[in-house]
Amino acid sequence: MRETDGIRGTEVGPTGSRVRWQVVVLLFVAVVINYVDRSSLSVALPVVAEEFGFDAGVSGLVLGAFFWTYAAFQIPCGRLVDRFGARRVLAVAAVAWSLVTMATGLSAGWVWLLGFRLLLGVTQAAMFPAGTSCMALWFPRDERALASGLYDSGARVGTLVALPVFAALMVAAGWRGAFALVGAVGLVWALVWWWMFRDRPDQHPGVSAAELHHIRRTEPAPVAGASATTGPGWRVVLRSRAVWGTVVAVVAQSYVIYFFITWFPSYLVDARGFTLLELGFFGTIPGLAAIGGNWLGGWASDALVKRGRTLTFARKSCGAGGLLVSASVGAAAVVPGAGAALALLSLSFAGVSFATSVLLTIPADLSPPGAPLAGTLQSLQNTFSGLAGIASPLVVGVLRDVTGSFVPGLLSAALVAVLGALALLVVVDRIDADVLVADGGGLVSGLRKEQADGGVPYGGDGGQEVR
């Protein structure tokens, strides 16, 4: 008999309002701005390096500095999101990273650039923990993956538009003025976010009773004994197969994605003979395929849940399937013909983005009812994702220097993708909202949760405020 989790039998009717999808649009725009801001220095670097007179080694140091602080501040930012809510934390973060972006235009040398990149990593670390927290609180379990895929596709869009947009701004206002202009956009977004968003749907005046019911219909009641205690909360996380299996899968996903973010243009030019004109046109195809992969992965996983399959089956099968498809990056390394290689690279980028929508959703699925924890779990994933972002371009570059070819580097990405899929299939045992409270609630240690004696449904009207 096929295993189900009861969602198929849940009544689904008209929701009246659609405020939850406005939240997705706001997050999508935030991610686009986030990626344009973090990518802008890459576009300006040839001009900036010539003006300040530093070499390729210093350029690499400056560009890589972002990821060190971005990874280091993930968990602190995730904890802040779970304690104070995504509205306050993301508004402050957006103002901060926008001001840092604007200040980058005031740099007087490479040391200044290094400092601003380190600060940018700190200030942008809250973006995805806040987004995942919103998914946990604003969406039912059978819509979360699609919503996650939609807003996460802003990363692909931001990467695609950063080059033409920032280059045009540099022509119009110089590189210093361009940083001021793109930073100002984030300040406007922060104001709109503060005005339109609320941490919980029951706090938002635009959410109808029907939409509120729709959001809550798939959530179980808080598990008995899951209230905040003085127990060692991190002990439960550190021994959870679901958490660590997903972390390994996220490392694999990031390893593949960062090839496309860093070495992909050089690969097409150096290994496949693309001209700069061809690169500018055909090089956008994998990015467009990745956007489609984001959307399709979220839709497919949610569709399985709506058909009555468990979260475990839906998330593991779609996540592992996407990672296995992304292993086609290895075939792209050895196939003859530039066109075939580009097609396989597009398939790989679409596959890893398909998996990304699912992996981004799992922290929300694991967050215990009544205890805001999605941001913390997402931040743990993103910490290791950042480390993979540091390792991937380094390994590919070293292998290229040693062998004189991109082939070993791309094969390493394929191998890592397969290992990530196996971790998701074999290591992860179960994905559900009660996995991390099996010990009586130690995981929610230190998190404030007010709960009625009889148990109030997650996000209900019984005073369970996110603090």
Side-chain angles (χ1 to χ4, degrees):
M1 179 180 295
R2 185 172 67 180
E3 187 180 12
T4 66
D5 57 8
I7 292 179
R8 170 180 281 185
T10 304
E11 180 182 356
V12 180
T15 61
S17 59
R18 300 278 181 175
V19 177
R20 66 192 187 282
W21 296 109
Q22 295 176 17
V23 173
V24 172
V25 172
L26 286 171
L27 290 171
F28 170 84
V29 174
V31 174
V32 172
I33 295 170
N34 186 286
Y35 269 73
V36 169
D37 285 4
R38 75 171 66 174
S39 302
S40 295
L41 185 58
S42 300
V43 182
L45 196 58
V47 175
V48 175
E50 182 178 359
E51 180 176 327
F52 291 153
F54 56 79
D55 59 17
V58 173
S59 297
L61 175 65
V62 169
L63 291 175
F66 168 88
F67 295 102
W68 291 103
T69 50
Y70 184 73
F73 279 82
Q74 283 296 315
I75 291 176
C77 286
R79 298 292 282 179
L80 287 173
V81 167
D82 287 333
R83 182 173 182 182
F84 296 108
R87 184 174 183 241
R88 280 184 281 183
V89 174
L90 194 51
V92 171
V95 169
W97 90 56
S98 299
L99 292 176
V100 171
T101 299
M102 297 174 74
T104 302
L106 303 176
S107 297
W110 72 266
V111 175
W112 289 65
L113 291 173
L114 179 67
F116 286 132
R117 290 295 287 182
L118 291 169
L119 286 174
L120 190 65
V122 175
T123 55
Q124 290 200 347
M127 178 68 248
F128 286 95
T132 299
S133 177
C134 294
M135 296 302 101
L137 292 168
W138 274 87
F139 283 87
R141 291 186 289 174
D142 55 355
E143 289 181 353
R144 282 179 189 160
L146 176 58
S148 297
L150 288 172
Y151 94 78
D152 181 64
S153 67
R156 314 287 89 78
V157 174
T159 302
L160 283 174
V161 304
L163 176 57
V165 168
F166 199 79
L169 290 175
M170 286 177 62
V171 171
W175 70 268
R176 296 180 186 275
F179 277 108
L181 291 171
V182 296
V185 174
L187 296 178
V188 174
W189 180 90
L191 291 174
V192 174
W193 171 257
W194 185 260
W195 173 55
M196 294 187 63
F197 180 73
R198 298 295 182 271
D199 284 322
R200 295 201 326 258
D202 62 329
Q203 296 173 332
H204 198 293
V207 175
S208 67
E211 183 176 21
L212 191 60
H213 171 73
H214 178 82
I215 292 170
R216 293 174 176 169
R217 64 189 167 80
T218 66
E219 291 301 331
V223 177
S227 59
T229 70
T230 57
W234 280 105
R235 175 173 56 86
V236 185
V237 173
L238 295 177
R239 73 184 187 187
S240 170
R241 292 178 57 182
V243 169
W244 287 112
T246 306
V247 164
V248 174
V250 167
V251 168
Q253 169 256 1
S254 299
Y255 191 95
V256 176
I257 279 184
Y258 275 96
F259 163 76
F260 288 96
I261 293 175
T262 57
W263 283 109
F264 170 68
S266 297
Y267 172 77
L268 291 185
V269 173
D270 297 342
R272 293 297 179 175
F274 279 59
T275 66
L276 290 179
L277 181 61
E278 290 172 334
L279 175 65
F281 181 77
F282 294 108
T284 62
I285 295 175
L288 295 173
I291 294 172
N294 266 131
W295 299 351
L296 183 59
W299 173 84
S301 182
D302 284 344
L304 288 172
V305 177
K306 289 177 180 178
R307 290 176 178 270
R309 307 307 296 261
T310 62
L311 285 175
T312 303
F313 178 86
R315 305 311 191 218
K316 288 175 65 172
S317 60
C318 290
L323 286 172
L324 290 174
V325 170
S326 76
S328 58
V329 68
V334 297
V335 70
L342 183 63
L344 287 168
L345 289 170
S346 299
L347 179 64
S348 175
F349 207 179
V352 74
S353 299
F354 186 102
T356 299
S357 299
V358 178
L359 296 173
L360 194 61
T361 308
I362 291 177
D365 294 331
L366 292 176
S367 184
L373 203 68
T376 298
L377 295 174
Q378 175 59 47
S379 68
L380 180 65
Q381 283 191 8
N382 236 17
T383 298
F384 287 89
S385 172
L387 296 177
I390 296 169
S392 175
L394 179 63
V395 171
V396 173
V398 169
L399 290 174
R400 183 195 180 195
D401 288 341
V402 171
T403 65
S405 171
F406 276 106
V407 172
L410 269 65
L411 291 177
S412 76
L415 175 61
V416 170
V418 172
L419 293 176
L422 290 175
L424 202 57
L425 292 172
V426 177
V427 178
V428 175
D429 49 354
R430 191 163 61 88
I431 298 171
D432 214 330
D434 64 345
V435 169
L436 298 178
V437 292
D439 74 331
L443 179 59
V444 295
S445 171
L447 297 176
R448 295 295 304 276
K449 181 174 73 70
E450 299 172 5
Q451 178 177 336
D453 291 339
V456 180
Y458 185 34
D461 296 324
Q464 296 182 40
E465 183 177 358
V466 179
R467 299 186 184 275

